[in-house]
Amino acid sequence: MAVQLLLNLVISVVWMFLNDNWTASGFIVGFLIGAITIGLMRRFWPQPYYLIRLWAVVKLLALFMKELIVSSYAVLVHIVRPKLTIRPGIFAYKTELKSDWEVTVLSCLICLTPGTLTMDVSRDGGTLYVHAMDIDDVEELSRQIKGSFEKAIMEVTRSC
């Protein structure tokens, strides 16, 4: 991925040099030409096309921002109510993520989302112990984490 990005930047600079156009628009045109060229030649690269992984990272960040806003609103609604009607709890979340990096990212995303906190991770990294501020259904919350954060992390780390 890094080699492809570096090559794309070199193509951009060469394009700017050949056209004697040292502006942002010249760089953008060169970058697009480089991205298209590398994309057309991606079957010759052993690693996946870097823009696919970059798009997966952007989707993960957008998902986190959406979850951050939604959960912040939910926590705010619970706080401003005159009577506190939450059902806090701790549950064990089984993850399909394998590497330490993937589990760490999932744990951080859970901690950064208001209303949830990763309390502990098992030694093998397969189970996260999560505290949630308001739990209606543990299975539904587990499916929600698996379908959003875990899926997006797998797209970033295991994209083809």
Short mmCIF file of all heavy atoms in Angstrom, two decimals, residues 93-107 121-128 146 149-151 153-155 157-158:
data_model
loop_
_atom_site.label_atom_id
_atom_site.label_comp_id
_atom_site.label_asym_id
_atom_site.label_seq_id
_atom_site.Cartn_x
_atom_site.Cartn_y
_atom_site.Cartn_z
N TYR A 93 -18.45 -9.90 25.09
CA TYR A 93 -18.64 -9.81 23.64
C TYR A 93 -17.58 -10.67 22.96
O TYR A 93 -16.39 -10.41 23.09
CB TYR A 93 -18.53 -8.35 23.18
CG TYR A 93 -18.56 -8.20 21.69
CD1 TYR A 93 -19.73 -8.40 20.98
CD2 TYR A 93 -17.41 -7.90 20.98
CE1 TYR A 93 -19.76 -8.29 19.61
CE2 TYR A 93 -17.42 -7.78 19.61
CZ TYR A 93 -18.60 -7.98 18.93
OH TYR A 93 -18.62 -7.88 17.56
N LYS A 94 -18.02 -11.69 22.25
CA LYS A 94 -17.11 -12.56 21.49
C LYS A 94 -16.84 -11.92 20.14
O LYS A 94 -17.76 -11.60 19.41
CB LYS A 94 -17.74 -13.95 21.28
CG LYS A 94 -18.14 -14.66 22.53
CD LYS A 94 -16.96 -15.31 23.17
CE LYS A 94 -17.46 -16.17 24.33
NZ LYS A 94 -16.42 -16.49 25.24
N THR A 95 -15.57 -11.77 19.81
CA THR A 95 -15.19 -11.13 18.56
C THR A 95 -14.54 -12.13 17.61
O THR A 95 -13.95 -13.12 18.04
CB THR A 95 -14.23 -9.94 18.81
OG1 THR A 95 -13.92 -9.34 17.58
CG2 THR A 95 -12.96 -10.38 19.50
N GLU A 96 -14.67 -11.85 16.32
CA GLU A 96 -14.03 -12.67 15.30
C GLU A 96 -12.68 -12.09 14.88
O GLU A 96 -11.99 -12.68 14.06
CB GLU A 96 -14.94 -12.77 14.07
CG GLU A 96 -16.23 -13.49 14.32
CD GLU A 96 -17.14 -13.49 13.10
OE1 GLU A 96 -16.66 -13.19 11.99
OE2 GLU A 96 -18.32 -13.77 13.27
N LEU A 97 -12.34 -10.94 15.41
CA LEU A 97 -11.07 -10.30 15.07
C LEU A 97 -9.92 -11.11 15.65
O LEU A 97 -10.01 -11.62 16.75
CB LEU A 97 -11.04 -8.87 15.58
CG LEU A 97 -12.16 -7.96 15.07
CD1 LEU A 97 -12.10 -6.61 15.74
CD2 LEU A 97 -12.08 -7.81 13.57
N LYS A 98 -8.83 -11.19 14.88
CA LYS A 98 -7.72 -12.05 15.28
C LYS A 98 -6.51 -11.28 15.81
O LYS A 98 -5.96 -11.64 16.83
CB LYS A 98 -7.27 -12.93 14.09
CG LYS A 98 -8.37 -13.80 13.55
CD LYS A 98 -8.79 -14.84 14.55
CE LYS A 98 -9.85 -15.75 13.98
NZ LYS A 98 -10.74 -16.25 14.98
N SER A 99 -6.08 -10.26 15.10
CA SER A 99 -4.83 -9.60 15.49
C SER A 99 -5.04 -8.67 16.67
O SER A 99 -6.14 -8.19 16.94
CB SER A 99 -4.25 -8.83 14.30
OG SER A 99 -5.01 -7.67 14.05
N ASP A 100 -3.95 -8.41 17.37
CA ASP A 100 -4.01 -7.49 18.51
C ASP A 100 -4.42 -6.09 18.07
O ASP A 100 -5.14 -5.39 18.77
CB ASP A 100 -2.65 -7.42 19.20
CG ASP A 100 -2.29 -8.71 19.92
OD1 ASP A 100 -3.21 -9.50 20.21
OD2 ASP A 100 -1.09 -8.92 20.20
N TRP A 101 -3.95 -5.69 16.88
CA TRP A 101 -4.27 -4.37 16.37
C TRP A 101 -5.78 -4.23 16.15
O TRP A 101 -6.37 -3.21 16.52
CB TRP A 101 -3.51 -4.12 15.06
CG TRP A 101 -3.66 -2.74 14.56
CD1 TRP A 101 -2.91 -1.66 14.89
CD2 TRP A 101 -4.64 -2.26 13.62
NE1 TRP A 101 -3.37 -0.54 14.22
CE2 TRP A 101 -4.42 -0.89 13.44
CE3 TRP A 101 -5.68 -2.87 12.94
CZ2 TRP A 101 -5.20 -0.11 12.60
CZ3 TRP A 101 -6.46 -2.08 12.10
CH2 TRP A 101 -6.21 -0.73 11.94
N GLU A 102 -6.40 -5.23 15.54
CA GLU A 102 -7.84 -5.18 15.28
C GLU A 102 -8.63 -5.12 16.57
O GLU A 102 -9.57 -4.32 16.70
CB GLU A 102 -8.27 -6.42 14.48
CG GLU A 102 -7.75 -6.48 13.08
CD GLU A 102 -8.05 -7.80 12.39
OE1 GLU A 102 -8.20 -8.84 13.09
OE2 GLU A 102 -8.14 -7.81 11.16
N VAL A 103 -8.25 -5.94 17.54
CA VAL A 103 -8.96 -5.95 18.83
C VAL A 103 -8.77 -4.62 19.55
O VAL A 103 -9.71 -4.09 20.17
CB VAL A 103 -8.48 -7.14 19.70
CG1 VAL A 103 -9.07 -7.09 21.09
CG2 VAL A 103 -8.84 -8.47 19.03
N THR A 104 -7.58 -4.05 19.46
CA THR A 104 -7.32 -2.76 20.10
C THR A 104 -8.17 -1.65 19.46
O THR A 104 -8.73 -0.81 20.18
CB THR A 104 -5.83 -2.40 20.00
OG1 THR A 104 -5.07 -3.43 20.62
CG2 THR A 104 -5.54 -1.07 20.66
N VAL A 105 -8.27 -1.65 18.15
CA VAL A 105 -9.09 -0.63 17.47
C VAL A 105 -10.56 -0.79 17.88
O VAL A 105 -11.23 0.21 18.19
CB VAL A 105 -8.93 -0.71 15.94
CG1 VAL A 105 -9.96 0.13 15.23
CG2 VAL A 105 -7.53 -0.29 15.53
N LEU A 106 -11.06 -2.02 17.90
CA LEU A 106 -12.45 -2.25 18.32
C LEU A 106 -12.66 -1.78 19.75
O LEU A 106 -13.64 -1.11 20.06
CB LEU A 106 -12.82 -3.73 18.17
CG LEU A 106 -14.22 -4.10 18.64
CD1 LEU A 106 -15.27 -3.38 17.82
CD2 LEU A 106 -14.42 -5.60 18.57
N SER A 107 -11.73 -2.12 20.62
CA SER A 107 -11.83 -1.71 22.02
C SER A 107 -11.84 -0.20 22.16
O SER A 107 -12.65 0.37 22.91
CB SER A 107 -10.66 -2.31 22.80
OG SER A 107 -10.67 -1.87 24.12
N VAL A 121 -10.10 -7.23 28.23
CA VAL A 121 -9.98 -8.10 27.07
C VAL A 121 -9.37 -9.40 27.55
O VAL A 121 -8.40 -9.38 28.33
CB VAL A 121 -9.10 -7.46 25.97
CG1 VAL A 121 -8.96 -8.38 24.77
CG2 VAL A 121 -9.67 -6.12 25.54
N SER A 122 -9.92 -10.52 27.12
CA SER A 122 -9.38 -11.82 27.55
C SER A 122 -7.96 -11.99 27.02
O SER A 122 -7.53 -11.31 26.09
CB SER A 122 -10.28 -12.95 27.06
OG SER A 122 -10.26 -13.01 25.65
N ARG A 123 -7.22 -12.91 27.61
CA ARG A 123 -5.82 -13.12 27.22
C ARG A 123 -5.67 -13.50 25.76
O ARG A 123 -4.72 -13.09 25.10
CB ARG A 123 -5.19 -14.21 28.09
CG ARG A 123 -4.92 -13.76 29.49
CD ARG A 123 -3.86 -14.66 30.12
NE ARG A 123 -3.63 -14.30 31.48
CZ ARG A 123 -2.75 -13.39 31.85
NH1 ARG A 123 -2.05 -12.76 30.96
NH2 ARG A 123 -2.59 -13.13 33.13
N ASP A 124 -6.62 -14.28 25.23
CA ASP A 124 -6.53 -14.69 23.82
C ASP A 124 -7.06 -13.62 22.88
O ASP A 124 -6.92 -13.74 21.67
CB ASP A 124 -7.26 -16.01 23.59
CG ASP A 124 -8.75 -15.91 23.82
OD1 ASP A 124 -9.23 -14.91 24.38
OD2 ASP A 124 -9.47 -16.86 23.44
N GLY A 125 -7.66 -12.56 23.40
CA GLY A 125 -8.17 -11.47 22.58
C GLY A 125 -9.50 -11.77 21.91
O GLY A 125 -9.97 -11.00 21.10
N GLY A 126 -10.12 -12.88 22.26
CA GLY A 126 -11.37 -13.27 21.63
C GLY A 126 -12.62 -12.77 22.33
O GLY A 126 -13.71 -12.83 21.76
N THR A 127 -12.47 -12.26 23.54
CA THR A 127 -13.63 -11.79 24.30
C THR A 127 -13.33 -10.42 24.90
O THR A 127 -12.29 -10.23 25.52
CB THR A 127 -13.98 -12.78 25.44
OG1 THR A 127 -14.18 -14.07 24.89
CG2 THR A 127 -15.23 -12.36 26.16
N LEU A 128 -14.25 -9.50 24.69
CA LEU A 128 -14.17 -8.18 25.30
C LEU A 128 -15.28 -8.09 26.33
O LEU A 128 -16.41 -8.50 26.08
CB LEU A 128 -14.38 -7.07 24.26
CG LEU A 128 -13.21 -6.65 23.40
CD1 LEU A 128 -12.86 -7.72 22.40
CD2 LEU A 128 -13.53 -5.37 22.69
N LYS A 146 -21.04 -6.13 16.05
CA LYS A 146 -20.50 -7.01 15.02
C LYS A 146 -20.83 -6.49 13.62
O LYS A 146 -19.99 -6.52 12.72
CB LYS A 146 -21.03 -8.43 15.18
CG LYS A 146 -20.35 -9.45 14.29
CD LYS A 146 -20.75 -10.86 14.61
CE LYS A 146 -20.33 -11.34 15.95
NZ LYS A 146 -18.91 -11.46 16.21
N PHE A 149 -18.95 -1.87 13.78
CA PHE A 149 -17.53 -1.65 14.01
C PHE A 149 -16.67 -2.83 13.55
O PHE A 149 -15.68 -2.65 12.85
CB PHE A 149 -17.25 -1.38 15.49
CG PHE A 149 -17.69 -0.02 15.96
CD1 PHE A 149 -18.22 0.16 17.21
CD2 PHE A 149 -17.58 1.07 15.13
CE1 PHE A 149 -18.61 1.40 17.65
CE2 PHE A 149 -17.97 2.33 15.56
CZ PHE A 149 -18.50 2.50 16.82
N GLU A 150 -17.06 -4.03 13.95
CA GLU A 150 -16.22 -5.20 13.63
C GLU A 150 -16.15 -5.43 12.12
O GLU A 150 -15.08 -5.70 11.57
CB GLU A 150 -16.77 -6.43 14.33
CG GLU A 150 -15.83 -7.60 14.29
CD GLU A 150 -16.22 -8.72 15.23
OE1 GLU A 150 -16.71 -8.44 16.35
OE2 GLU A 150 -16.03 -9.87 14.83
N LYS A 151 -17.27 -5.28 11.44
CA LYS A 151 -17.29 -5.45 9.99
C LYS A 151 -16.42 -4.40 9.30
O LYS A 151 -15.66 -4.71 8.38
CB LYS A 151 -18.73 -5.36 9.49
CG LYS A 151 -18.89 -5.52 8.01
CD LYS A 151 -20.34 -5.38 7.62
CE LYS A 151 -20.49 -5.32 6.11
NZ LYS A 151 -21.82 -4.91 5.71
N ILE A 153 -13.87 -2.74 10.60
CA ILE A 153 -12.46 -3.01 10.89
C ILE A 153 -11.93 -4.11 10.00
O ILE A 153 -10.81 -4.04 9.48
CB ILE A 153 -12.28 -3.34 12.38
CG1 ILE A 153 -12.53 -2.11 13.23
CG2 ILE A 153 -10.87 -3.89 12.66
CD1 ILE A 153 -12.62 -2.38 14.72
N MET A 154 -12.73 -5.15 9.78
CA MET A 154 -12.29 -6.24 8.89
C MET A 154 -12.13 -5.75 7.45
O MET A 154 -11.24 -6.21 6.74
CB MET A 154 -13.29 -7.41 8.94
CG MET A 154 -13.10 -8.29 10.13
SD MET A 154 -13.95 -9.84 9.91
CE MET A 154 -14.98 -9.85 11.33
N GLU A 155 -12.97 -4.83 7.01
CA GLU A 155 -12.82 -4.27 5.67
C GLU A 155 -11.50 -3.52 5.52
O GLU A 155 -10.86 -3.57 4.49
CB GLU A 155 -13.98 -3.33 5.33
CG GLU A 155 -15.27 -4.02 5.01
CD GLU A 155 -16.38 -3.03 4.69
OE1 GLU A 155 -16.08 -1.84 4.46
OE2 GLU A 155 -17.54 -3.45 4.70
N THR A 157 -8.66 -4.01 7.44
CA THR A 157 -7.47 -4.86 7.63
C THR A 157 -7.39 -6.02 6.67
O THR A 157 -6.32 -6.54 6.42
CB THR A 157 -7.43 -5.39 9.06
OG1 THR A 157 -8.61 -6.15 9.33
CG2 THR A 157 -7.29 -4.27 10.05
N ARG A 158 -8.51 -6.46 6.13
CA ARG A 158 -8.51 -7.65 5.29
C ARG A 158 -9.05 -7.39 3.89
O ARG A 158 -9.55 -8.30 3.24
CB ARG A 158 -9.34 -8.75 5.94
CG ARG A 158 -8.85 -9.09 7.32
CD ARG A 158 -9.74 -10.06 8.00
NE ARG A 158 -9.34 -10.15 9.41
CZ ARG A 158 -9.96 -10.88 10.27
NH1 ARG A 158 -11.02 -11.56 9.92
NH2 ARG A 158 -9.55 -10.92 11.52
#
